[in-house]
Amino acid sequence: MPAITNHLPTAELQALDAAHHMHPFTANTELAETGTKVITRADGVYLHDSDGNKILDGMAGLWCVNIGYGRNELADAAARQMRELPYYNTFFKTTHVPAIALAKKIAELAPGDLNHVFFAGSGSEANDTNIRMVRHYWALKGKPNKSIIISRKNAYHGSSVGSGSLGGMAPMHAQGGLPIPDILHINQPNWWAEGGGMDRDAFGLARAQELEEAILEHGEDRIAAFIAEPIQGAGGVIVPPDTYWPEIQRICDKYEILLIADEVICGFGRTGNWFGTQTVGIKPHIMTIAKGLSSGYQPIGGSVVCDEVAEVIGSDEFNHGYTYSGHPVASAVALENLRILEEEDVVGHVQNVAGPALAETWHGLSDHPLVGETTLVGMMASLALTPHKESRAKFAMDAGTAGFMCRERSFANNLIMRHVYDRMVVSPPLVMTPEDITELGKRARTALDECYAQLKEHDMLKPAD
Ligand code: PMP
């Protein structure tokens, strides 16, 4: 058996993959039959596969490769750190320079008094930390019954037992005994799909007020926290009506509910500010971070915690932590990534160049016969596929059928664009140039055209009743 390298033929790599590798969120038996795409290398905003295709990455990996691929500075930072101190833990009264420096940098960048960082290896782990931290916070304040965390349907907060419970993904809850106790889910502010005849603003207000209704129903003395993504990402890039967040903030303040902003996607520039909370104008007690913290070059996440919560938690031993909390190599790489974001003013680029270019390109797709709402904030965007724009109709077939077809056409045209049911989403590297974005728009339109032709040919353009 020759060594397994990029030089093996695609079919051999696929067969080996099918034999031994279980993929996340995948029916592996079916995948084994259809074969997977083998990504061999990447540079800038392009991926290369084993068949020689050069693919424009409209998803920045999984919403994370914000500075693009191939930045040697990050590779060098990792190599330097591996030689100096590849690993040490931060338990048992020890620490190290990368964790110290990264925590300080994050505290500087984070708004308000979010001055303390509890590190994790991923967004899921960080949200597990949050569950334990907010419940323990209230217990330390003499209110152990304040243990319910309110989240939202169609939210994504991770895939561990805790974070998957926080999330509101019905297909995830259907497997493995989720959710854990004392997690509630209210409805999401998805006007396009669920707003019916209400106008956007009234709908946003009504959806926010579901939080107040839940608090009143269960009692203020039972509710620990509310968690939400500033802009829902994996749920389909759902941009809430402008009325939504101010009302949520009012309710959290009124009932003394801790507000957790899950910034795993929104954080580090994606929305045109350092954090999504700044874009939507809220003041969380805790922010979850991961992905863009290291631009995905190393697995790292964390909870950024305000002074008061950190002080209360610090008054007792918090029986929680991960072997890789504050991993020195991941921390060194994240620091280098943040240096690049700052020195190259990547957030300014999103606000002034890439964000406006994507807005123009993306909204330009709204004249397409298959496209309903087009929506975006900064460099995260989505569009709704519909058989009938005016009535915002769904298709008269299983949700996601059209979306999947469109994604397949997109991949065939060498653009990574994802679907969430029948919404198409992009979340490109923040460093895309206007030319890259024009190319993304062209390929997306071709995918839409081909999908439309297929739907028409198979008489699949019927609206649901
Ligand atoms: N929170 C949000 C908002 C996310 O989008 C994700 C991942 N898509 C997570 C948490 C979980 O992060 P991870 O996959 O790193 O565990």
Side-chain angles (χ1 to χ4, degrees):
M1 176 81 213
I4 300 173
T5 68
N6 278 342
H7 302 296
L8 282 190
T10 301
E12 265 181 62
L13 291 169
Q14 286 173 326
L16 286 163
D17 187 76
H20 304 294
H21 181 193
M22 299 173 78
H23 291 249
F25 287 94
T26 297
N28 279 283
T29 307
E30 188 190 318
L31 180 68
E33 284 158 16
T34 52
T36 189
K37 195 184 270 300
V38 182
I39 305 299
T40 50
R41 62 189 179 86
D43 193 27
V45 298
Y46 283 93
L47 306 164
H48 298 262
D49 74 10
S50 55
D51 293 329
N53 293 308
K54 188 176 168 194
I55 307 160
L56 185 59
D57 187 2
M59 285 305 300
L62 260 183
W63 324 77
C64 54
V65 187
N66 289 356
I67 58 164
Y69 299 91
R71 294 296 302 240
N72 284 328
E73 303 94 316
L74 272 66
D76 292 344
R80 262 196 315 272
Q81 189 56 48
M82 278 193 195
R83 292 199 176 93
E84 190 169 290
L85 179 71
Y87 176 76
Y88 202 69
N89 68 69
T90 51
F91 294 32
F92 318 130
K93 300 187 178 175
T94 59
T95 190
H96 48 68
V97 166
I100 297 169
L102 182 60
K104 176 177 178 287
K105 186 77 226 169
I106 292 168
E108 262 170 41
L109 294 171
D113 68 347
L114 293 162
N115 287 322
H116 313 269
V117 187
F118 194 106
F119 285 113
S122 65
S124 300
E125 285 181 6
N127 277 326
D128 279 11
T129 299
N130 294 338
I131 295 173
R132 303 196 63 207
M133 192 182 286
V134 298
R135 288 178 173 169
H136 189 49
Y137 166 87
W138 287 116
L140 286 169
K141 290 184 66 124
K143 297 180 177 174
N145 289 333
K146 263 173 100 69
S147 57
I148 295 178
I149 303 173
I150 302 178
S151 177
R152 306 181 298 180
K153 293 178 188 163
N154 198 36
Y156 191 84
H157 296 299
S159 192
S160 58
V161 172
S163 62
S165 298
L166 282 182
M169 296 288 174
M172 291 175 71
H173 290 182
Q175 299 173 352
L178 270 57
I180 58 170
D182 280 0
I183 310 275
L184 292 178
H185 298 89
I186 59 174
N187 283 307
Q188 59 173 337
N190 182 347
W191 176 78
W192 172 269
E194 299 173 5
M198 285 177 99
D199 80 59
R200 252 186 98 87
D201 284 349
F203 175 75
L205 216 50
R207 284 287 156 104
Q209 283 160 357
E210 285 193 19
L211 176 61
E212 189 157 30
E213 286 155 25
I215 294 168
L216 294 174
E217 184 188 337
H218 293 271
E220 192 180 333
D221 55 341
R222 288 284 285 118
I223 313 294
F226 175 66
I227 181 165
E229 304 149 81
I231 312 289
Q232 281 160 268
V237 184
I238 310 297
V239 180
D242 292 343
T243 46
Y244 182 77
W245 274 113
E247 184 67 358
I248 292 282
Q249 181 75 62
R250 179 191 72 75
I251 295 163
C252 289
D253 292 347
K254 178 169 176 191
Y255 297 100
E256 283 194 75
I257 305 298
L258 294 178
L259 176 56
I260 309 169
D262 186 335
E263 293 269 6
V264 167
I265 286 176
C266 294
F268 303 101
R270 181 147 302 279
T271 67
N273 288 294
W274 275 95
F275 295 96
T277 49
Q278 295 160 322
T279 301
V280 302
I282 53 168
K283 289 197 168 64
H285 299 88
I286 299 175
M287 292 193 314
T288 320
I289 55 172
K291 296 190 190 277
L293 170 58
S294 67
S295 282
Y297 279 59
Q298 282 282 292
I300 184 166
S303 304
V304 193
V305 181
C306 72
D307 288 342
E308 203 259 337
V309 172
E311 191 183 319
V312 172
I313 290 293
S315 68
D316 188 25
E317 179 169 344
F318 184 35
N319 298 317
H320 178 74
Y322 305 106
T323 299
Y324 300 131
S325 286
H327 191 287
V329 177
S331 297
V333 169
L335 260 176
E336 187 61 12
N337 174 59
L338 297 182
R339 184 191 67 73
I340 290 173
L341 287 182
E342 268 196 317
E343 286 185 16
E344 297 182 7
D345 189 22
V346 173
V347 182
H349 175 75
V350 172
Q351 205 165 81
N352 304 316
V353 182
L358 185 62
E360 199 184 327
T361 295
W362 200 251
H363 291 312
L365 296 171
S366 62
D367 64 358
H368 194 278
L370 204 50
V371 175
E373 165 181 76
T374 53
T375 181
L376 89 168
V377 176
M379 288 290 276
M380 54 196 295
S382 67
L383 58 82
L385 300 178
T386 177
H388 189 251
K389 295 178 192 236
E390 291 68 30
S391 60
R392 312 205 304 268
K394 299 183 174 63
F395 293 90
M397 54 188 179
D398 286 347
T401 309
F404 177 74
M405 284 168 70
C406 188
R407 188 192 82 176
E408 291 297 283
R409 294 326 306 152
S410 177
F411 280 25
N413 284 285
N414 288 332
L415 168 68
I416 303 282
M417 174 166 68
R418 250 179 85 175
H419 78 113
V420 180
Y421 296 106
D422 292 320
R423 279 186 96 83
M424 305 313 297
V425 304
V426 292
S427 174
L430 306 185
V431 295
M432 270 200 179
T433 61
E435 294 72 38
D436 297 329
I437 290 166
T438 302
E439 186 59 32
L440 183 153
K442 268 194 215 151
R443 294 184 191 193
R445 185 174 284 277
T446 307
L448 287 163
D449 285 347
E450 292 179 6
C451 177
Y452 185 69
Q454 277 186 347
L455 288 168
K456 209 166 170 178
E457 187 189 332
H458 296 101
D459 200 19
M460 292 163 88
L461 280 167
K462 291 195 203 97
D465 296 331

